[in-house]
Amino acid sequence: MWVAIICGLVIYKLFKRFLYDDDILDIEGSDSSALFTVADRLQKLYGGKVYVGLRIPDADSGSRQSIDMVLVTKEELVVVSVKNFSGILTIRGDGSWACEKPGRHKVEHHPDPVEETRKQVSILESYLEQRGVALPEGYISCKVILPNPKLCAIPVSVFPPEVITHEQWVQLKPGPKSMLSSWVKSAFRGGKKDIQESVSQNLEFVLSTAPIWDRLELKGNKYVLGEFLEFKGKQEDVEALRHIRRSKVGSMIIQKTSMFGLAPSRLQVLCTFRDYRTEGASAPELKEVTVRSNTEIIFEPANASKVRKFKLSSVASMLLSA
């Protein structure tokens, strides 16, 4: 019996090793995937536009401030920080948050997320002003969303008004804009007047051209934000992909060439080139190359301690920042 169990474990490890990317398994439930889940729901609830994974230049520090997302409607701009915490949460006297996961006997300490998000609001306001966007007074605000159902706060009443708990988050329901509940209005909109159309257009342009993290979309609707570094694999495959540089290529899509449901040995990579022309822009230039499916993308996830490798067979698309 033990021989059968050991053989089964070996077969399982081999199966996982060849058919799945270990990093795909690690990404399950990741913070980046949680961001896009929240962003998708916010856009369905409020319409408007959600900008995810911004890296806004901070003139004071000379570095870039990472902002999870910005929700823009005619009534309000909301800087949203998503904290995918799990475990037992307590808020300390200095405002910092401590999360303890049952069974691990390890406490994770986090700076006050509300204070951090307020700082992001200030940095974003300065950046928008530098780019010629003058927002009405009171138009910009912030929220911290806790979407993970496995988070338990003790006590629940300690959260400041900027925090939206999981229980509040799941109560939001999509519907006509005139049918929004009073809680929804107070949570995000606050009954503010619509922004002028000219300011709205300028704001949309600035945010759509602001620096962002590179974005990997993986199988199973999983996402990773970070920085693309390079490709690794057979020399001829790396050579075929050498034109994929952020200065030239804005995005790429992985297309399968498999038949009869079998795992493909080669994949088609369709690249979209950047078009820097301001006038007379036509359809974007495309280029398609075919490479081995085990060619790897070397990617450094945001706020990660190590570089990750992702096989092309596990990737759906990649978006590169300019």
Side-chain angles (χ1 to χ4, degrees):
M1 182 181 69
W2 287 107
V3 174
I5 293 175
I6 293 173
C7 290
L9 289 173
V10 171
I11 292 173
Y12 170 75
K13 292 290 186 179
L14 290 173
F15 180 82
K16 188 175 73 170
R17 169 66 179 84
F18 288 103
L19 295 187
Y20 295 92
D21 192 323
D22 287 340
D23 283 319
I24 291 293
L25 302 176
D26 291 342
I27 292 304
E28 187 75 39
S30 72
D31 293 342
S32 292
S33 292
L35 289 186
F36 286 92
T37 300
V38 170
D40 182 64
R41 189 155 190 261
L42 285 177
Q43 194 152 330
K44 288 178 180 177
L45 285 167
Y46 305 108
K49 177 74 174 178
V50 180
Y51 302 87
V52 180
L54 298 175
R55 301 183 69 194
I56 302 302
D58 180 4
D60 292 336
S61 66
S63 60
R64 292 186 177 185
Q65 174 67 55
S66 180
I67 295 179
D68 287 346
M69 67 186 70
V70 173
L71 168 67
V72 179
T73 70
K74 290 183 178 180
E75 296 174 320
E76 191 167 12
L77 182 154
V78 187
V79 175
V80 179
S81 179
V82 178
K83 299 301 181 183
N84 196 32
F85 299 153
S86 62
I88 300 174
L89 171 67
T90 56
I91 299 181
R92 306 200 165 198
D94 61 357
S96 63
W97 292 17
C99 289
E100 181 178 358
K101 296 186 178 180
R104 295 190 180 182
H105 305 291
K106 181 180 179 181
V107 179
E108 297 178 352
H109 298 276
H110 305 277
D112 183 353
V114 175
E115 189 61 34
E116 284 190 331
T117 311
R118 289 172 181 160
K119 180 181 177 182
Q120 292 171 8
V121 168
S122 177
I123 293 172
L124 180 61
E125 276 188 306
S126 298
Y127 174 75
L128 293 175
E129 289 176 1
Q130 291 171 5
R131 296 195 61 181
V133 180
L135 297 177
E137 184 178 354
Y139 179 73
I140 186 169
S141 62
C142 69
K143 292 293 175 184
V144 176
I145 298 180
L146 308 176
N148 198 325
K150 297 181 180 179
L151 179 68
C152 176
I154 301 177
V156 178
S157 59
V158 299
F159 287 122
E162 291 88 350
V163 175
I164 298 178
T165 65
H166 174 261
E167 289 73 19
Q168 294 170 324
W169 175 243
V170 298
Q171 288 174 10
L172 301 183
K173 303 294 182 183
K177 302 301 178 290
S178 60
M179 299 294 289
L180 292 173
S181 69
S182 59
W183 186 88
V184 172
K185 290 179 181 178
S186 64
F188 277 99
R189 297 189 169 185
K192 298 177 182 179
K193 296 181 180 180
D194 290 358
I195 190 173
Q196 294 181 357
E197 186 65 27
S198 59
V199 177
S200 177
Q201 292 177 354
N202 193 14
L203 175 61
E204 180 179 351
F205 171 77
V206 170
L207 288 176
S208 63
T209 56
I212 60 173
W213 287 108
D214 297 335
R215 179 187 307 173
L216 271 182
E217 180 184 359
L218 308 175
K219 287 181 177 180
N221 295 320
K222 300 179 180 66
Y223 295 88
V224 187
L225 295 178
E227 184 176 358
F228 164 69
L229 300 178
E230 61 178 337
F231 293 102
K232 279 195 174 180
K234 296 291 185 179
Q235 183 176 353
E236 57 266 34
D237 293 328
V238 175
E239 181 66 20
L241 297 168
R242 65 183 176 86
H243 63 280
I244 301 181
R245 298 193 296 272
R246 67 181 69 256
S247 61
K248 293 185 176 182
V249 172
S251 63
M252 73 176 203
I253 298 175
I254 310 300
Q255 299 178 326
K256 297 180 180 179
T257 58
S258 60
M259 298 179 63
F260 309 113
L262 299 177
S265 60
R266 301 186 71 84
L267 297 171
Q268 292 176 340
V269 180
L270 181 63
C271 305
T272 303
F273 285 86
R274 299 188 188 279
D275 189 347
Y276 293 102
R277 293 172 294 178
T278 57
E279 296 182 0
S282 57
E285 180 186 353
L286 305 176
K287 182 175 181 178
E288 184 178 288
V289 297
T290 302
V291 297
R292 291 174 179 83
S293 60
N294 60 358
T295 303
E296 294 177 328
I297 292 177
I298 309 302
F299 199 87
E300 184 175 2
N303 304 318
S305 58
K306 64 177 182 178
V307 172
R308 296 292 185 93
K309 299 178 181 179
F310 297 93
K311 293 185 179 66
L312 278 184
S313 58
S314 68
V315 176
S317 66
M318 182 168 68
L319 178 70
L320 297 177
S321 62

